Amino acid sequence: MTSLMKSPRRAMPFVLAAALASTSLVAIAPTTALAVPAGGYADLVETISPSVVFIEVTGTSTKPAQQMEMPQGMPEELRKRFEQMMPGQGAEAQPVHGLGSGFIISTDGQIVTNNHVVEGADKVTVKLSDGRSFEAKVVGNDPLTDIALLKIETDVDLPAVKFGSSDSMRVGDEVVAMGNPFGLGGTVTTGIISAKSRNINAGPYDDFIQTDAAINRGNSGGPLFNNAGEVIGVNTAILSPGGGSVGIGFSVPSDLVLDIVADLADDGAITRGWLGVQIRPMTDEVAQVLGYDAPKGAVIEAISDDSPAQKAGLKKGDIILSFNGTAIDELRDLTRAVADTDPDQTADVVVLHRGKEVTRAVKIGTLAAKDA
């Protein structure tokens, strides 16, 4: 069963491209002079690299030390000897250090990175390419899209980059990835867009750009540039059986990042719509019976009490075919459409109810943080 607002994370060889050391808007607009020359990317990299930052986080491990059960009645002196022989017995929480990347999006110090880079951090330090170092404040973060917004304070304008349109990019377009893999700051790799709208089952809003530009641990939060020097993605994960780059990396598309960052900058939180249903895909057998060429829509598996769906008269077994004008071909189409709808807005939901298409007017609710 798949929840409308939450998908289970599977055990798989996807690696969040952040490295753990001990354990785990005024922008500079690129010009046509930034077009990649026949000789390579040097001019482009020289222009945009000052906006890419190195991020170091420190925190405290929340995992308690593993305890070995001692036999009851064991003499105290013998117990102490066993504890000395077993590392970690009775140990306190240990400090954790993490590494990642980010990029400056405004001259006053707003920085975008991945949520998993800074999540749970006690201290976030941002280091610029010129060697300057600043302690950063986490303005807000969104685990569901793995985006976080930081802010550093400085008395001078910082070099900033602008976002480009990820939607306008095509498979085969050249891209440049920048970041700090394994703590090696200022690393540049190039490649192409291998695929778009990838779903890797990392979350309910999977819509990744896939690239063969080398991305490794520590690249998380770093930018993926087009040839105009615009950010069209935020590097976040790799498919890697061994933990290193095998040419399959994933970036959150800039069109989604822009919306998330704007929401976080406003009040540090993300507001999403809520329908209150759990859904599953239509089976091939049902599609055949209904006369469809292929399965489509989202079958309602369960409805939450006192939810917008219940109040609008949606029923278990109804098949949602469209939401507010958006056709629902697969489950994530509905997830995104609902999330992008402002709470208290009324949406027309077309459902197949007992073999007939009917339209229900649903007043969308607000997704609670616990459901996110």
Side-chain angles (χ1 to χ4, degrees), residues 21-83:
S22 61
T23 57
S24 148
L25 222 300
V26 178
I28 299 175
T31 67
T32 53
L34 292 180
V36 178
Y41 290 89
D43 290 341
L44 176 66
V45 171
E46 184 176 354
T47 303
I48 59 181
S49 60
S51 302
V52 181
V53 302
F54 174 87
I55 297 175
E56 184 175 4
V57 302
T58 57
T60 303
S61 174
T62 58
K63 293 183 179 180
Q66 185 176 359
Q67 299 291 327
M68 181 182 72
E69 289 190 17
M70 301 291 183
Q72 292 185 357
M74 174 180 286
E76 187 63 24
E77 184 63 29
L78 188 57
R79 180 186 300 274
K80 289 181 179 180
R81 289 186 181 181
F82 267 104
E83 289 177 350

Coordinates of all heavy atoms in Angstrom, one line a residue, residues 21-83:
A21 N 33.0 11.9 7.8 CA 34.4 11.8 8.1 C 34.7 10.8 9.2 O 35.6 10.0 9.1 CB 35.0 13.2 8.4
S22 N 33.9 10.9 10.3 CA 34.2 10.0 11.4 C 33.3 8.8 11.5 O 33.6 7.8 12.0 CB 34.1 10.8 12.8 OG 32.8 11.3 12.9
T23 N 32.0 9.1 11.0 CA 31.1 8.0 10.9 C 30.3 8.3 9.6 O 30.6 7.8 8.6 CB 30.1 8.0 12.1 OG1 29.5 9.2 12.2 CG2 30.8 7.6 13.4
S24 N 29.7 8.4 9.8 CA 29.0 8.8 8.7 C 28.9 10.4 8.6 O 29.2 11.0 9.6 CB 27.7 8.2 8.7 OG 26.6 8.7 8.3
L25 N 17.5 38.9 -4.2 CA 18.2 37.8 -4.9 C 18.6 38.5 -6.1 O 18.0 38.6 -7.1 CB 17.2 36.8 -5.1 CG 17.2 35.4 -5.0 CD1 17.9 34.5 -5.6 CD2 16.1 35.0 -4.0
V26 N 19.9 38.7 -5.7 CA 20.6 39.3 -6.9 C 21.6 38.3 -7.3 O 22.5 38.1 -6.6 CB 21.2 40.7 -6.5 CG1 21.9 41.3 -7.7 CG2 20.1 41.6 -6.0
A27 N 21.5 37.9 -8.5 CA 22.4 36.9 -9.0 C 23.3 37.4 -10.2 O 22.9 38.3 -10.9 CB 21.7 35.6 -9.5
I28 N 24.4 36.8 -10.3 CA 25.3 37.2 -11.4 C 24.8 36.4 -12.6 O 25.0 35.2 -12.7 CB 26.8 36.8 -11.1 CG1 27.2 37.7 -9.9 CG2 27.6 37.1 -12.3 CD1 28.6 37.3 -9.4
A29 N 24.2 37.0 -13.6 CA 23.7 36.4 -14.7 C 24.8 36.0 -15.7 O 25.5 36.9 -16.2 CB 22.6 37.2 -15.4
P30 N 24.9 34.7 -16.1 CA 25.9 34.4 -17.1 C 25.5 35.0 -18.5 O 24.4 35.3 -18.8 CB 25.7 32.8 -17.2 CG 25.0 32.4 -16.0 CD 24.2 33.6 -15.6
T31 N 26.6 35.3 -19.2 CA 26.4 35.9 -20.5 C 26.7 34.9 -21.6 O 27.2 33.8 -21.3 CB 27.3 37.2 -20.7 OG1 28.6 36.7 -20.7 CG2 27.1 38.1 -19.5
T32 N 26.5 35.4 -22.9 CA 26.8 34.5 -24.0 C 28.3 34.1 -24.0 O 28.7 33.1 -24.6 CB 26.4 35.1 -25.3 OG1 27.0 36.4 -25.4 CG2 24.9 35.2 -25.4
A33 N 29.1 34.9 -23.4 CA 30.6 34.7 -23.3 C 30.9 33.4 -22.6 O 32.0 32.9 -22.7 CB 31.3 35.8 -22.7
L34 N 29.9 32.9 -21.8 CA 30.1 31.7 -21.0 C 29.9 30.4 -21.8 O 30.0 29.4 -21.2 CB 29.2 31.7 -19.8 CG 29.5 32.8 -18.7 CD1 28.6 32.7 -17.5 CD2 31.0 32.6 -18.2
A35 N 29.4 30.6 -23.0 CA 29.2 29.4 -23.8 C 30.5 28.6 -23.9 O 31.6 29.1 -24.0 CB 28.8 29.7 -25.2
V36 N 30.4 27.3 -23.8 CA 31.6 26.4 -23.8 C 32.3 26.5 -25.1 O 31.8 26.2 -26.1 CB 31.3 25.0 -23.4 CG1 32.5 24.1 -23.5 CG2 30.6 24.9 -22.1
P37 N 33.6 26.9 -25.1 CA 34.3 27.0 -26.3 C 34.8 25.7 -26.8 O 34.8 24.7 -26.0 CB 35.5 27.9 -26.0 CG 35.7 27.7 -24.5 CD 34.4 27.4 -23.9
A38 N 35.3 25.6 -28.0 CA 35.8 24.4 -28.5 C 37.0 23.8 -27.7 O 37.2 22.6 -27.6 CB 36.3 24.5 -30.0
G39 N 37.7 24.7 -27.0 CA 38.8 24.3 -26.2 C 38.5 23.7 -24.9 O 39.4 23.2 -24.2
G40 N 37.3 23.8 -24.4 CA 36.9 23.2 -23.1 C 36.1 24.1 -22.2 O 35.5 25.1 -22.7
Y41 N 36.1 23.8 -20.9 CA 35.2 24.4 -20.0 C 35.9 25.4 -19.1 O 35.3 25.9 -18.1 CB 34.6 23.3 -19.1 CG 33.5 22.5 -19.8 CD1 33.9 21.3 -20.4 CD2 32.2 22.8 -19.8 CE1 33.0 20.5 -21.0 CE2 31.3 22.0 -20.4 CZ 31.7 20.8 -21.0 OH 30.7 20.0 -21.6
A42 N 37.1 25.7 -19.3 CA 37.9 26.5 -18.4 C 37.3 27.9 -18.1 O 37.3 28.3 -16.9 CB 39.4 26.6 -18.9
D43 N 36.9 28.6 -19.1 CA 36.3 29.9 -18.9 C 35.1 29.8 -18.1 O 34.8 30.7 -17.2 CB 36.1 30.6 -20.2 CG 37.3 31.0 -20.9 OD1 38.4 31.1 -20.3 OD2 37.3 31.2 -22.2
L44 N 34.2 28.9 -18.4 CA 33.0 28.7 -17.7 C 33.2 28.4 -16.2 O 32.7 29.0 -15.3 CB 32.2 27.6 -18.3 CG 30.9 27.2 -17.6 CD1 29.9 28.3 -17.7 CD2 30.3 25.9 -18.2
V45 N 34.1 27.4 -15.9 CA 34.5 27.0 -14.6 C 35.0 28.2 -13.8 O 34.7 28.4 -12.6 CB 35.4 25.8 -14.6 CG1 35.9 25.5 -13.2 CG2 34.7 24.6 -15.1
E46 N 35.9 29.0 -14.4 CA 36.6 30.1 -13.7 C 35.5 31.1 -13.3 O 35.7 31.7 -12.2 CB 37.6 30.7 -14.6 CG 38.4 31.9 -14.0 CD 39.5 32.4 -14.9 OE1 39.7 31.9 -16.0 OE2 40.1 33.4 -14.5
T47 N 34.5 31.3 -14.0 CA 33.4 32.3 -13.7 C 32.5 31.8 -12.6 O 32.1 32.6 -11.7 CB 32.6 32.6 -15.0 OG1 33.5 33.0 -16.0 CG2 31.6 33.6 -14.7
I48 N 32.1 30.5 -12.6 CA 31.1 30.1 -11.7 C 31.6 29.4 -10.4 O 30.9 29.3 -9.4 CB 30.1 29.1 -12.4 CG1 30.8 27.9 -13.0 CG2 29.3 29.8 -13.5 CD1 29.9 26.9 -13.7
S49 N 32.9 29.0 -10.5 CA 33.4 28.2 -9.3 C 33.4 29.0 -8.0 O 33.3 28.4 -6.9 CB 34.8 27.7 -9.6 OG 35.7 28.8 -9.9
P50 N 33.6 30.4 -8.0 CA 33.5 31.1 -6.7 C 32.2 31.0 -6.0 O 32.1 31.2 -4.8 CB 33.8 32.5 -7.1 CG 34.6 32.4 -8.4 CD 34.0 31.3 -9.1
S51 N 31.2 30.6 -6.7 CA 29.8 30.5 -6.1 C 29.6 29.1 -5.4 O 28.6 28.9 -4.7 CB 28.7 30.7 -7.1 OG 28.9 32.0 -7.7
V52 N 30.5 28.1 -5.7 CA 30.3 26.8 -5.1 C 31.1 26.7 -3.8 O 32.2 27.1 -3.7 CB 30.8 25.7 -6.1 CG1 30.6 24.3 -5.6 CG2 30.1 25.9 -7.5
V53 N 30.4 26.2 -2.8 CA 31.0 26.2 -1.4 C 31.2 24.8 -0.9 O 30.6 23.8 -1.3 CB 30.2 27.0 -0.5 CG1 30.0 28.4 -1.0 CG2 28.8 26.4 -0.2
F54 N 32.1 24.7 0.1 CA 32.4 23.5 0.8 C 31.7 23.6 2.1 O 31.7 24.6 2.8 CB 33.9 23.4 1.0 CG 34.3 22.2 1.9 CD1 34.6 21.0 1.4 CD2 34.6 22.4 3.2 CE1 35.0 19.9 2.2 CE2 35.0 21.4 4.0 CZ 35.2 20.1 3.5
I55 N 30.9 22.5 2.5 CA 30.2 22.5 3.8 C 30.7 21.4 4.7 O 30.8 20.3 4.3 CB 28.7 22.3 3.5 CG1 28.1 23.5 2.6 CG2 27.9 22.2 4.8 CD1 26.7 23.3 2.2
E56 N 30.9 21.8 5.9 CA 31.4 20.9 7.0 C 30.4 21.0 8.1 O 30.1 22.1 8.6 CB 32.8 21.2 7.4 CG 33.3 20.2 8.4 CD 34.8 20.4 8.8 OE1 35.3 21.4 8.3 OE2 35.3 19.6 9.6
V57 N 29.9 19.8 8.6 CA 28.9 19.8 9.7 C 29.5 19.0 10.8 O 30.2 18.0 10.6 CB 27.5 19.3 9.2 CG1 27.0 20.1 8.1 CG2 27.6 17.8 8.8
T58 N 29.1 19.4 12.0 CA 29.4 18.6 13.2 C 28.2 18.4 14.0 O 27.3 19.3 14.0 CB 30.5 19.3 14.1 OG1 30.0 20.6 14.5 CG2 31.8 19.5 13.4
G59 N 28.1 17.3 14.6 CA 26.9 16.9 15.4 C 27.2 15.9 16.4 O 28.4 15.6 16.6
T60 N 26.2 15.2 17.0 CA 26.4 14.2 17.9 C 25.7 13.0 17.5 O 24.5 13.1 17.2 CB 26.0 14.6 19.3 OG1 26.7 15.9 19.7 CG2 26.3 13.6 20.4
S61 N 26.3 11.8 17.6 CA 25.7 10.6 17.2 C 24.5 10.3 18.1 O 24.6 10.4 19.4 CB 26.7 9.4 17.3 OG 26.0 8.2 17.1
T62 N 23.4 10.0 17.5 CA 22.2 9.7 18.3 C 22.0 8.2 18.6 O 21.1 7.8 19.3 CB 20.9 10.2 17.6 OG1 20.8 9.6 16.3 CG2 20.9 11.7 17.4
K63 N 22.9 7.4 18.0 CA 22.8 6.0 18.2 C 23.5 5.6 19.6 O 24.6 5.9 19.8 CB 23.5 5.2 17.1 CG 22.8 5.4 15.7 CD 23.5 4.6 14.7 CE 22.8 4.8 13.3 NZ 23.4 4.0 12.3
P64 N 22.8 4.9 20.4 CA 23.4 4.6 21.7 C 24.4 3.5 21.5 O 24.4 2.7 20.6 CB 22.2 4.0 22.5 CG 21.2 3.5 21.5 CD 21.4 4.5 20.3
A65 N 25.4 3.4 22.4 CA 26.4 2.4 22.3 C 25.8 1.0 22.5 O 24.9 0.9 23.3 CB 27.5 2.7 23.4
Q66 N 26.2 0.1 21.7 CA 25.7 -1.3 21.8 C 26.1 -1.9 23.1 O 27.3 -1.9 23.5 CB 26.2 -2.1 20.6 CG 25.6 -3.5 20.6 CD 26.0 -4.3 19.4 OE1 26.8 -3.8 18.6 NE2 25.6 -5.5 19.3
Q67 N 25.2 -2.4 23.9 CA 25.5 -3.0 25.2 C 25.4 -4.5 25.1 O 24.5 -5.1 24.5 CB 24.5 -2.5 26.2 CG 24.5 -1.0 26.4 CD 25.8 -0.5 27.1 OE1 26.3 -1.3 27.9 NE2 26.3 0.6 26.7
M68 N 26.4 -5.2 25.7 CA 26.4 -6.6 25.8 C 25.8 -7.0 27.2 O 26.2 -6.5 28.2 CB 27.8 -7.2 25.7 CG 27.9 -8.7 25.7 SD 29.6 -9.3 25.7 CE 30.1 -8.9 27.3
E69 N 24.8 -7.9 27.1 CA 24.2 -8.4 28.3 C 25.1 -9.2 29.2 O 25.8 -10.1 28.6 CB 22.9 -9.2 28.0 CG 21.7 -8.3 27.5 CD 20.5 -9.1 27.5 OE1 20.4 -10.2 28.1 OE2 19.5 -8.7 26.8
M70 N 25.3 -8.9 30.4 CA 26.1 -9.6 31.3 C 25.3 -10.6 32.2 O 24.1 -10.3 32.5 CB 26.8 -8.6 32.3 CG 27.7 -7.6 31.6 SD 29.1 -8.3 30.8 CE 29.9 -6.8 30.2
P71 N 25.8 -11.7 32.5 CA 25.1 -12.7 33.3 C 24.7 -12.1 34.6 O 25.5 -11.3 35.2 CB 26.1 -13.9 33.5 CG 27.0 -13.7 32.3 CD 27.1 -12.2 32.1
Q72 N 23.5 -12.4 35.1 CA 23.1 -11.9 36.4 C 24.0 -12.5 37.5 O 24.4 -13.7 37.4 CB 21.6 -12.3 36.7 CG 20.7 -11.6 35.8 CD 19.2 -11.9 36.2 OE1 19.0 -12.7 37.1 NE2 18.3 -11.2 35.5
G73 N 24.3 -11.7 38.5 CA 25.1 -12.1 39.6 C 26.6 -12.1 39.3 O 27.4 -12.6 40.2
M74 N 27.0 -11.6 38.2 CA 28.5 -11.5 37.8 C 29.2 -10.6 38.8 O 28.7 -9.4 39.1 CB 28.7 -11.0 36.4 CG 30.2 -10.8 36.1 SD 30.4 -10.2 34.4 CE 30.1 -11.7 33.5
P75 N 30.3 -11.0 39.4 CA 31.0 -10.1 40.3 C 31.4 -8.8 39.7 O 31.7 -8.7 38.5 CB 32.3 -10.9 40.7 CG 31.9 -12.3 40.4 CD 30.9 -12.3 39.3
E76 N 31.4 -7.7 40.4 CA 31.6 -6.3 39.9 C 32.9 -6.2 39.2 O 33.1 -5.6 38.2 CB 31.4 -5.3 41.0 CG 31.5 -3.9 40.5 CD 30.3 -3.5 39.6 OE1 29.3 -4.2 39.6 OE2 30.5 -2.6 38.8
E77 N 34.0 -6.8 39.8 CA 35.3 -6.7 39.3 C 35.4 -7.3 37.9 O 36.0 -6.8 37.0 CB 36.3 -7.3 40.3 CG 37.8 -7.1 39.8 CD 38.2 -5.7 39.7 OE1 37.7 -4.8 40.5 OE2 39.1 -5.4 38.9
L78 N 34.8 -8.5 37.8 CA 34.8 -9.2 36.5 C 34.0 -8.4 35.5 O 34.3 -8.4 34.3 CB 34.2 -10.6 36.7 CG 34.3 -11.6 35.5 CD1 35.7 -11.7 35.1 CD2 33.7 -12.9 35.9
R79 N 32.9 -7.8 35.9 CA 32.1 -7.0 35.0 C 32.9 -5.9 34.4 O 32.8 -5.6 33.2 CB 30.8 -6.5 35.7 CG 29.9 -5.7 34.8 CD 28.8 -5.1 35.7 NE 28.0 -6.1 36.3 CZ 27.0 -6.7 35.7 NH1 26.6 -6.4 34.5 NH2 26.3 -7.6 36.3
K80 N 33.7 -5.2 35.3 CA 34.5 -4.1 34.8 C 35.5 -4.5 33.8 O 35.8 -3.8 32.8 CB 35.1 -3.4 36.0 CG 34.2 -2.6 36.9 CD 34.9 -2.0 38.0 CE 34.0 -1.2 38.9 NZ 34.7 -0.5 40.1
R81 N 36.1 -5.7 34.0 CA 37.1 -6.2 33.1 C 36.5 -6.5 31.7 O 37.1 -6.2 30.7 CB 37.7 -7.5 33.7 CG 38.6 -7.2 34.9 CD 39.4 -8.5 35.3 NE 40.2 -8.3 36.4 CZ 41.0 -9.2 37.0 NH1 41.0 -10.5 36.5 NH2 41.7 -9.0 38.0
F82 N 35.3 -7.1 31.7 CA 34.6 -7.3 30.4 C 34.3 -6.0 29.7 O 34.5 -5.9 28.5 CB 33.3 -8.1 30.7 CG 33.5 -9.6 30.6 CD1 33.5 -10.4 31.7 CD2 33.6 -10.2 29.3 CE1 33.7 -11.8 31.6 CE2 33.7 -11.6 29.2 CZ 33.8 -12.4 30.4
E83 N 33.9 -5.0 30.5 CA 33.5 -3.7 29.8 C 34.8 -3.1 29.2 O 34.7 -2.4 28.2 CB 32.9 -2.8 30.9 CG 31.5 -3.2 31.2 CD 30.9 -2.3 32.3 OE1 31.6 -1.5 32.9 OE2 29.7 -2.5 32.6

